[in-house]
Amino acid sequence: SIQVSAGQACKSVIVQNDPDNVVDVLIGTSGSELFQLVPGQAISLPVSNVNLLYAKNVSSTTQPINWVAVN
């Protein structure tokens, strides 16, 4: 899995599997990706820093994600 950002303090992060993607992405921590998002789907997670989130796609292709930190 790949760390979403090098570090940015926040109250929460909204993460979206880019609508143009063709596969699902997994969002979670460095140890496990608990949330599976279909293309276009988003989730808001209460974290203190963006660097606490990790993303991984379900295939071997590279898929972009979109995110915004909420302060």
Side-chain angles (χ1 to χ4, degrees), residues 5-40:
S5 175
Q8 179 177 340
C10 60
K11 292 182 181 175
S12 66
V13 177
I14 301 169
V15 182
Q16 179 194 44
N17 183 359
D18 193 273
D20 292 333
N21 286 346
V22 294
V23 299
D24 296 357
V25 295
L26 304 171
I27 304 294
T29 66
S30 62
S32 67
E33 291 78 28
L34 302 174
F35 303 101
Q36 185 167 344
L37 304 179
V38 299

Side-chain angles (χ1 to χ4, degrees), residues 36-54:
Q36 185 167 344
L37 304 179
V38 299
Q41 187 177 19
I43 188 170
S44 176
L45 297 169
V47 295
S48 60
N49 200 306
V50 181
N51 67 7
L52 297 172
L53 293 178
Y54 287 74

